[in-house]
Amino acid sequence: MFIGRDNELKSLNKIKGRGKAALVVMRGRRRIGKSRLISEFARGFPTYFEFQGLGSRAGMNNQIQLDHFARQLSQRLNIPPLKLSDWREAFSFLARETQTGPVLIMLDEIAWMGNTILTMLVS
Ligand SMILES: Nc1ncnc2c1ncn2[C@@H]1O[C@H](COP(=O)(O)OP(=O)(O)OP(=O)(O)O)[C@@H](O)[C@H]1O
Ligand SMILES: [Mg+2]
């Protein structure tokens, strides 16, 4: 069951309607329904990629996050495990796999990704 969020879905659909790539950052307090809104919106896309972050718990580092991302990517594509050496390589790989749109990519819990990666994404 999915309730409401008409305004949010309308805004997202407006962005989708532009037919151009867009980066949408969603924020809001815990358990407010951010992830659910995206998975609901994703139903209107033929291709959907979802990546979960590992958060920023103790012992976390960039390589662990990258390996986790690589695991999700290879599972999603049904291909043998990937070894990614940096985020640029990760997103180039993803870009190659998502050339035929419309595609929705959800990077859930993006705070873990850190500033370098966010800057790269925006560019
Ligand atoms: N519009 C909605 N209608 C019905 N249930 C909803 C709706 N939005 C969220 N929920 C439910 O509320 C719970 C919390 O939603 P969700 O996990 O999307 O929140 P979140 O903002 O991503 O939380 P977090 O900050 O912990 O990641 C989930 O069980 C989800 O299914
Ligand atoms: Mg969430």
Side-chain angles (χ1 to χ4, degrees):
M1 184 180 63
F2 183 74
I3 306 163
R5 297 282 181 229
D6 295 349
N7 290 337
E8 289 84 354
L9 287 169
K10 215 164 133 189
S11 304
L12 289 168
N13 275 310
K14 206 180 265 178
I15 297 169
K16 185 186 182 196
R18 291 187 206 145
K20 292 196 294 183
L23 177 69
V24 176
V25 179
M26 191 174 305
R27 37 187 266 179
R29 63 178 160 79
R30 301 239 56 141
R31 311 298 293 161
I32 197 88
K34 302 179 291 294
S35 303
R36 181 69 193 278
L37 175 61
I38 299 304
S39 51
E40 208 61 29
F41 180 58
R43 291 150 64 97
F45 285 77
T47 311
Y48 178 46
F49 282 76
E50 182 178 318
F51 296 96
Q52 298 295 328
L54 286 172
S56 52
R57 51 194 157 74
M60 185 51 61
N61 66 39
N62 192 53
Q63 192 58 51
I64 295 174
Q65 301 278 16
L66 199 53
D67 290 344
H68 183 60
F69 185 92
R71 251 186 329 269
Q72 295 176 84
L73 189 56
S74 55
Q75 272 169 19
R76 169 67 177 74
L77 293 171
N78 231 326
I79 56 172
L82 283 167
K83 183 71 195 167
L84 298 170
S85 49
D86 57 41
W87 289 103
R88 187 163 294 282
E89 189 185 354
F91 285 107
S92 313
F93 194 98
L94 184 58
R96 273 199 306 279
E97 294 296 330
T98 52
Q99 277 172 5
T100 42
V103 179
L104 178 63
I105 300 168
M106 157 142 85
L107 305 169
D108 207 2
E109 308 285 350
I110 201 175
W112 53 268
M113 291 186 118
N115 282 338
T116 6
I117 301 152
L118 292 180
T119 311
M120 196 185 84
L121 272 178
V122 175
S123 68

